[in-house]
Amino acid sequence: GEDVEQSLFLSVREGDSSVINCTYTDSSSTYLYWYKQEPGAGLQLLTYIFSNMDMKQDQRLTVLLNKKDKHLSLRIADTQTGDSAIYFCAAGSSGGYQKVTFGTGTKLQVIP
Amino acid sequence: GAVVSQHPSWVICKSGTSVKIECRSLDFQATTMFWYRQFPKQSLMLMATSNEGSKATYEQGVEKDKFLINHASLTLSTLTVTSAHPEDSSFYICSASPGADTQYFGPGTRLTVL
């Protein structure tokens, strides 16, 4: 089955850029997602990218996809203290219904 | 935007009792709903997938008789934790999919079994 991996922790200074990396194993994954989870809350979909794209930008967020290496990254420009949260990468396949496999999450700590 | 609600948002119950959690898609019809479980400091684990009007498909290792799922309509799915025990304490999150491209997540239900 699909395996999605992320580093566990990232610490950045306020105003710097944050880059959270993710790798997945199933080359047939069609949709790749980034979710944000604040303490005690559910997941919030930040953005997603189709496997036929290599970049997607949405305001401060930039997603890069290297399909050959099965590597996904999320860049947050001008990181703010409100960005402190756990970020989950997820990979989904299509067909019938979509089964999504989540990574373990990366805890982003923003230092003022 | 698409909104998914869960009720209750948190629940405390005694060991041996059953607890029902509702998941509703408020402004769209969800052909498929998913139930996840999240242990502290861990990722989500898919428990089961349910399609409206049919039996849920459970992931390996998830007890069907323990976690009863009913997807009665295109906007409502329920998860019943039967004879709950302290090890069932967790954060349960549902998601709803209107189609093939994405899932919208509910805010989660925190279950504490005493």
Side-chain angles (χ1 to χ4, degrees), chain A residues 31 33 35 37 40-45 48 50 86 88 93-100 102-105, chain B residues 32 34 36 38 41-44 46 49 51 57 59 91 93 99-108 110:
Chain A
Y31 305 92
Y33 305 85
Y35 291 89
Q37 186 181 31
L43 294 185
Q44 172 194 357
L45 176 64
Y48 65 93
F50 295 111
I86 299 176
F88 287 92
S93 57
S94 60
Y97 64 89
Q98 187 185 66
K99 181 173 178 176
V100 179
F102 285 81
T104 51
Chain B
T32 307
F34 304 85
Y36 296 87
Q38 185 182 31
K41 300 182 181 180
Q42 294 187 30
S43 182
L44 297 184
L46 177 64
T49 304
N51 292 291
T57 302
E59 295 299 299
F91 197 51
I93 300 176
D101 58 352
T102 195
Q103 297 179 36
Y104 299 98
F105 284 81
R110 187 170 300 282

Side-chain angles (χ1 to χ4, degrees), chain A residues 3-104:
Chain A
D3 190 23
V4 179
E5 294 192 354
Q6 302 175 238
S7 53
L8 294 179
F9 187 77
L10 176 65
S11 180
V12 298
R13 292 205 175 273
E14 190 174 17
D16 288 350
S17 292
S18 307
V19 179
I20 303 172
N21 294 302
C22 169
T23 58
Y24 59 100
T25 57
D26 189 348
S27 57
S28 66
S29 291
T30 315
Y31 305 92
L32 298 139
Y33 305 85
W34 284 104
Y35 291 89
K36 177 182 180 182
Q37 186 181 31
E38 298 188 36
L43 294 185
Q44 172 194 357
L45 176 64
L46 288 179
T47 185
Y48 65 93
I49 189 170
F50 295 111
S51 60
N52 62 356
M53 300 167 64
D54 52 20
M55 187 183 89
K56 182 177 180 181
Q57 187 158 2
D58 184 3
Q59 298 182 331
R60 292 191 298 123
L61 304 179
T62 303
V63 178
L64 295 178
L65 173 61
N66 182 327
K67 195 176 178 183
K68 175 176 171 288
D69 294 338
K70 295 192 278 289
H71 181 269
L72 182 74
S73 68
L74 173 70
R75 179 176 179 271
I76 305 173
D78 187 25
T79 312
Q80 303 297 307
T81 54
D83 295 324
S84 293
I86 299 176
Y87 290 81
F88 287 92
C89 164
S93 57
S94 60
Y97 64 89
Q98 187 185 66
K99 181 173 178 176
V100 179
T101 303
F102 285 81
T104 51

Side-chain angles (χ1 to χ4, degrees), chain B:
Chain B
V3 178
V4 175
S5 69
Q6 281 184 239
H7 178 79
S9 55
W10 60 271
V11 56
I12 301 173
C13 69
K14 291 184 179 179
S15 186
T17 60
S18 294
V19 175
K20 181 186 283 188
I21 303 169
E22 291 187 350
C23 176
R24 292 181 186 273
S25 56
L26 298 185
D27 49 5
F28 67 97
Q29 292 187 326
T31 51
T32 307
M33 287 188 169
F34 304 85
W35 286 96
Y36 296 87
R37 181 174 179 179
Q38 185 182 31
F39 292 97
K41 300 182 181 180
Q42 294 187 30
S43 182
L44 297 184
M45 290 182 59
L46 177 64
M47 297 174 67
T49 304
S50 71
N51 292 291
E52 185 261 342
S54 60
K55 289 184 179 180
T57 302
Y58 289 81
E59 295 299 299
Q60 193 172 10
V62 178
E63 298 175 58
K64 301 178 184 180
D65 296 330
K66 173 78 173 174
F67 299 99
L68 301 179
I69 292 172
N70 184 290
H71 193 156
S73 74
L74 285 171
T75 59
L76 173 65
S77 176
T78 60
L79 167 68
T80 301
V81 183
T82 62
S83 186
H85 287 93
E87 58 266 30
D88 298 324
S89 297
S90 192
F91 197 51
Y92 292 87
I93 300 176
C94 77
S95 70
S97 177
D101 58 352
T102 195
Q103 297 179 36
Y104 299 98
F105 284 81
T109 297
R110 187 170 300 282
L111 170 64
T112 301
V113 185
L114 302 176

